[in-house]
PDB file of all heavy atoms in Angstrom:
ATOM      1  N   HIS A 809      78.497  25.667  34.132  1.00 93.00           N
ATOM      2  CA  HIS A 809      77.332  25.400  34.983  1.00 93.00           C
ATOM      3  C   HIS A 809      76.295  24.653  34.147  1.00 93.00           C
ATOM      4  O   HIS A 809      75.302  25.223  33.706  1.00 93.00           O
ATOM      5  CB  HIS A 809      76.744  26.700  35.531  1.00 93.00           C
ATOM      6  CG  HIS A 809      77.736  27.536  36.263  1.00 93.00           C
ATOM      7  ND1 HIS A 809      77.643  28.902  36.312  1.00 93.00           N
ATOM      8  CD2 HIS A 809      78.850  27.221  36.986  1.00 93.00           C
ATOM      9  CE1 HIS A 809      78.645  29.390  37.014  1.00 93.00           C
ATOM     10  NE2 HIS A 809      79.393  28.378  37.433  1.00 93.00           N
ATOM     11  N   HIS A 810      76.535  23.362  33.950  1.00 93.00           N
ATOM     12  CA  HIS A 810      75.723  22.576  33.024  1.00 93.00           C
ATOM     13  C   HIS A 810      74.254  22.476  33.450  1.00 93.00           C
ATOM     14  O   HIS A 810      73.361  22.632  32.625  1.00 93.00           O
ATOM     15  CB  HIS A 810      76.307  21.172  32.870  1.00 93.00           C
ATOM     16  CG  HIS A 810      77.716  21.167  32.385  1.00 93.00           C
ATOM     17  ND1 HIS A 810      78.088  21.665  31.161  1.00 93.00           N
ATOM     18  CD2 HIS A 810      78.860  20.728  32.970  1.00 93.00           C
ATOM     19  CE1 HIS A 810      79.388  21.537  31.006  1.00 93.00           C
ATOM     20  NE2 HIS A 810      79.882  20.970  32.092  1.00 93.00           N
ATOM     21  N   ASP A 811      74.010  22.205  34.710  1.00 93.00           N
ATOM     22  CA  ASP A 811      72.623  22.023  35.159  1.00 93.00           C
ATOM     23  C   ASP A 811      71.790  23.283  34.969  1.00 93.00           C
ATOM     24  O   ASP A 811      70.636  23.215  34.529  1.00 93.00           O
ATOM     25  CB  ASP A 811      72.587  21.578  36.620  1.00 93.00           C
ATOM     26  CG  ASP A 811      73.184  20.190  36.805  1.00 93.00           C
ATOM     27  OD1 ASP A 811      73.199  19.412  35.826  1.00 93.00           O
ATOM     28  OD2 ASP A 811      73.632  19.883  37.927  1.00 93.00           O
ATOM     29  N   GLU A 812      72.376  24.442  35.299  1.00 93.00           N
ATOM     30  CA  GLU A 812      71.654  25.704  35.113  1.00 93.00           C
ATOM     31  C   GLU A 812      71.392  25.964  33.635  1.00 93.00           C
ATOM     32  O   GLU A 812      70.304  26.398  33.254  1.00 93.00           O
ATOM     33  CB  GLU A 812      72.442  26.885  35.718  1.00 93.00           C
ATOM     34  CG  GLU A 812      72.587  26.835  37.217  1.00 93.00           C
ATOM     35  CD  GLU A 812      73.817  26.053  37.689  1.00 93.00           C
ATOM     36  OE1 GLU A 812      74.450  25.338  36.859  1.00 93.00           O
ATOM     37  OE2 GLU A 812      74.123  26.127  38.885  1.00 93.00           O
ATOM     38  N   ALA A 813      72.387  25.689  32.801  1.00 94.00           N
ATOM     39  CA  ALA A 813      72.232  25.909  31.363  1.00 94.00           C
ATOM     40  C   ALA A 813      71.142  24.993  30.799  1.00 94.00           C
ATOM     41  O   ALA A 813      70.284  25.449  30.031  1.00 94.00           O
ATOM     42  CB  ALA A 813      73.557  25.662  30.647  1.00 94.00           C
ATOM     43  N   ILE A 814      71.150  23.730  31.205  1.00 95.00           N
ATOM     44  CA  ILE A 814      70.157  22.780  30.702  1.00 95.00           C
ATOM     45  C   ILE A 814      68.749  23.213  31.097  1.00 95.00           C
ATOM     46  O   ILE A 814      67.822  23.177  30.282  1.00 95.00           O
ATOM     47  CB  ILE A 814      70.480  21.356  31.209  1.00 95.00           C
ATOM     48  CG1 ILE A 814      71.712  20.826  30.479  1.00 95.00           C
ATOM     49  CG2 ILE A 814      69.296  20.423  31.013  1.00 95.00           C
ATOM     50  CD1 ILE A 814      72.286  19.555  31.062  1.00 95.00           C
ATOM     51  N   ALA A 815      68.585  23.650  32.344  1.00 94.00           N
ATOM     52  CA  ALA A 815      67.263  24.098  32.802  1.00 94.00           C
ATOM     53  C   ALA A 815      66.768  25.288  31.983  1.00 94.00           C
ATOM     54  O   ALA A 815      65.590  25.349  31.600  1.00 94.00           O
ATOM     55  CB  ALA A 815      67.312  24.448  34.286  1.00 94.00           C
ATOM     56  N   LEU A 816      67.650  26.223  31.699  1.00 92.00           N
ATOM     57  CA  LEU A 816      67.248  27.394  30.910  1.00 92.00           C
ATOM     58  C   LEU A 816      66.969  27.011  29.458  1.00 92.00           C
ATOM     59  O   LEU A 816      66.018  27.518  28.851  1.00 92.00           O
ATOM     60  CB  LEU A 816      68.321  28.475  30.989  1.00 92.00           C
ATOM     61  CG  LEU A 816      68.424  29.186  32.339  1.00 92.00           C
ATOM     62  CD1 LEU A 816      69.664  30.065  32.389  1.00 92.00           C
ATOM     63  CD2 LEU A 816      67.182  30.013  32.605  1.00 92.00           C
ATOM     64  N   TYR A 817      67.788  26.136  28.895  1.00 94.00           N
ATOM     65  CA  TYR A 817      67.538  25.705  27.514  1.00 94.00           C
ATOM     66  C   TYR A 817      66.176  25.020  27.406  1.00 94.00           C
ATOM     67  O   TYR A 817      65.459  25.198  26.426  1.00 94.00           O
ATOM     68  CB  TYR A 817      68.638  24.775  27.021  1.00 94.00           C
ATOM     69  CG  TYR A 817      69.915  25.480  26.621  1.00 94.00           C
ATOM     70  CD1 TYR A 817      71.149  25.011  27.042  1.00 94.00           C
ATOM     71  CD2 TYR A 817      69.892  26.606  25.817  1.00 94.00           C
ATOM     72  CE1 TYR A 817      72.326  25.647  26.670  1.00 94.00           C
ATOM     73  CE2 TYR A 817      71.058  27.255  25.446  1.00 94.00           C
ATOM     74  CZ  TYR A 817      72.276  26.757  25.878  1.00 94.00           C
ATOM     75  OH  TYR A 817      73.427  27.400  25.508  1.00 94.00           O
ATOM     76  N   LYS A 818      65.810  24.241  28.410  1.00 94.00           N
ATOM     77  CA  LYS A 818      64.494  23.595  28.390  1.00 94.00           C
ATOM     78  C   LYS A 818      63.380  24.631  28.404  1.00 94.00           C
ATOM     79  O   LYS A 818      62.353  24.457  27.736  1.00 94.00           O
ATOM     80  CB  LYS A 818      64.348  22.646  29.580  1.00 94.00           C
ATOM     81  CG  LYS A 818      65.091  21.346  29.407  1.00 94.00           C
ATOM     82  CD  LYS A 818      64.869  20.434  30.597  1.00 94.00           C
ATOM     83  CE  LYS A 818      65.590  19.126  30.417  1.00 94.00           C
ATOM     84  NZ  LYS A 818      65.405  18.229  31.559  1.00 94.00           N
ATOM     85  N   ARG A 819      63.560  25.714  29.153  1.00 92.00           N
ATOM     86  CA  ARG A 819      62.545  26.779  29.169  1.00 92.00           C
ATOM     87  C   ARG A 819      62.433  27.447  27.803  1.00 92.00           C
ATOM     88  O   ARG A 819      61.333  27.781  27.357  1.00 92.00           O
ATOM     89  CB  ARG A 819      62.887  27.827  30.236  1.00 92.00           C
ATOM     90  CG  ARG A 819      62.607  27.340  31.645  1.00 92.00           C
ATOM     91  CD  ARG A 819      62.993  28.337  32.708  1.00 92.00           C
ATOM     92  NE  ARG A 819      62.345  29.627  32.566  1.00 92.00           N
ATOM     93  CZ  ARG A 819      62.669  30.700  33.283  1.00 92.00           C
ATOM     94  NH1 ARG A 819      63.634  30.627  34.182  1.00 92.00           N
ATOM     95  NH2 ARG A 819      62.039  31.837  33.101  1.00 92.00           N
ATOM     96  N   VAL A 820      63.556  27.626  27.131  1.00 92.00           N
ATOM     97  CA  VAL A 820      63.559  28.277  25.821  1.00 92.00           C
ATOM     98  C   VAL A 820      62.875  27.396  24.775  1.00 92.00           C
ATOM     99  O   VAL A 820      62.257  27.902  23.845  1.00 92.00           O
ATOM    100  CB  VAL A 820      65.000  28.627  25.392  1.00 92.00           C
ATOM    101  CG1 VAL A 820      65.034  29.159  23.968  1.00 92.00           C
ATOM    102  CG2 VAL A 820      65.616  29.632  26.341  1.00 92.00           C
ATOM    103  N   GLU A 821      62.944  26.087  24.952  1.00 93.00           N
ATOM    104  CA  GLU A 821      62.360  25.169  23.971  1.00 93.00           C
ATOM    105  C   GLU A 821      60.844  25.302  23.860  1.00 93.00           C
ATOM    106  O   GLU A 821      60.252  24.814  22.910  1.00 93.00           O
ATOM    107  CB  GLU A 821      62.739  23.729  24.303  1.00 93.00           C
ATOM    108  CG  GLU A 821      64.188  23.445  24.004  1.00 93.00           C
ATOM    109  CD  GLU A 821      64.633  22.078  24.456  1.00 93.00           C
ATOM    110  OE1 GLU A 821      63.806  21.146  24.467  1.00 93.00           O
ATOM    111  OE2 GLU A 821      65.811  21.939  24.799  1.00 93.00           O
ATOM    112  N   SER A 822      60.220  25.963  24.800  1.00 89.00           N
ATOM    113  CA  SER A 822      58.773  26.186  24.714  1.00 89.00           C
ATOM    114  C   SER A 822      58.437  27.490  23.999  1.00 89.00           C
ATOM    115  O   SER A 822      57.271  27.862  23.918  1.00 89.00           O
ATOM    116  CB  SER A 822      58.153  26.167  26.114  1.00 89.00           C
ATOM    117  OG  SER A 822      58.654  27.248  26.874  1.00 89.00           O
ATOM    118  N   SER A 823      59.445  28.176  23.463  1.00 86.00           N
ATOM    119  CA  SER A 823      59.186  29.435  22.763  1.00 86.00           C
ATOM    120  C   SER A 823      58.522  29.169  21.417  1.00 86.00           C
ATOM    121  O   SER A 823      58.479  28.044  20.942  1.00 86.00           O
ATOM    122  CB  SER A 823      60.488  30.217  22.555  1.00 86.00           C
ATOM    123  OG  SER A 823      61.233  29.642  21.520  1.00 86.00           O
ATOM    124  N   SER A 824      58.034  30.212  20.799  1.00 86.00           N
ATOM    125  CA  SER A 824      57.338  30.063  19.516  1.00 86.00           C
ATOM    126  C   SER A 824      58.298  30.079  18.322  1.00 86.00           C
ATOM    127  O   SER A 824      57.905  29.738  17.219  1.00 86.00           O
ATOM    128  CB  SER A 824      56.300  31.169  19.356  1.00 86.00           C
ATOM    129  OG  SER A 824      56.949  32.428  19.390  1.00 86.00           O
ATOM    130  N   SER A 825      59.534  30.453  18.542  1.00 87.00           N
ATOM    131  CA  SER A 825      60.517  30.520  17.467  1.00 87.00           C
ATOM    132  C   SER A 825      61.132  29.145  17.218  1.00 87.00           C
ATOM    133  O   SER A 825      61.820  28.599  18.077  1.00 87.00           O
ATOM    134  CB  SER A 825      61.617  31.522  17.831  1.00 87.00           C
ATOM    135  OG  SER A 825      62.702  31.399  16.945  1.00 87.00           O
ATOM    136  N   LYS A 826      60.893  28.601  16.028  1.00 92.00           N
ATOM    137  CA  LYS A 826      61.417  27.272  15.697  1.00 92.00           C
ATOM    138  C   LYS A 826      62.942  27.261  15.713  1.00 92.00           C
ATOM    139  O   LYS A 826      63.560  26.324  16.213  1.00 92.00           O
ATOM    140  CB  LYS A 826      60.894  26.811  14.338  1.00 92.00           C
ATOM    141  CG  LYS A 826      61.384  25.425  13.981  1.00 92.00           C
ATOM    142  CD  LYS A 826      60.905  24.978  12.621  1.00 92.00           C
ATOM    143  CE  LYS A 826      61.508  23.623  12.294  1.00 92.00           C
ATOM    144  NZ  LYS A 826      61.226  23.184  10.953  1.00 92.00           N
ATOM    145  N   SER A 827      63.557  28.300  15.177  1.00 91.00           N
ATOM    146  CA  SER A 827      65.022  28.329  15.129  1.00 91.00           C
ATOM    147  C   SER A 827      65.613  28.399  16.536  1.00 91.00           C
ATOM    148  O   SER A 827      66.624  27.759  16.824  1.00 91.00           O
ATOM    149  CB  SER A 827      65.517  29.497  14.283  1.00 91.00           C
ATOM    150  OG  SER A 827      65.110  30.728  14.850  1.00 91.00           O
ATOM    151  N   LEU A 828      64.954  29.137  17.429  1.00 92.00           N
ATOM    152  CA  LEU A 828      65.416  29.220  18.811  1.00 92.00           C
ATOM    153  C   LEU A 828      65.203  27.892  19.540  1.00 92.00           C
ATOM    154  O   LEU A 828      66.051  27.463  20.332  1.00 92.00           O
ATOM    155  CB  LEU A 828      64.696  30.356  19.532  1.00 92.00           C
ATOM    156  CG  LEU A 828      65.361  30.932  20.768  1.00 92.00           C
ATOM    157  CD1 LEU A 828      66.774  31.400  20.473  1.00 92.00           C
ATOM    158  CD2 LEU A 828      64.541  32.082  21.308  1.00 92.00           C
TER     159      LEU A 828
END
Side-chain angles (χ1 to χ4, degrees):
H809 305 150
H810 302 298
D811 294 336
E812 294 88 348
I814 288 169
L816 288 170
Y817 282 134
K818 283 182 179 179
R819 285 178 57 189
V820 174
E821 288 174 31
S822 64
S823 76
S824 60
S825 168
K826 182 182 176 187
S827 62
L828 202 55

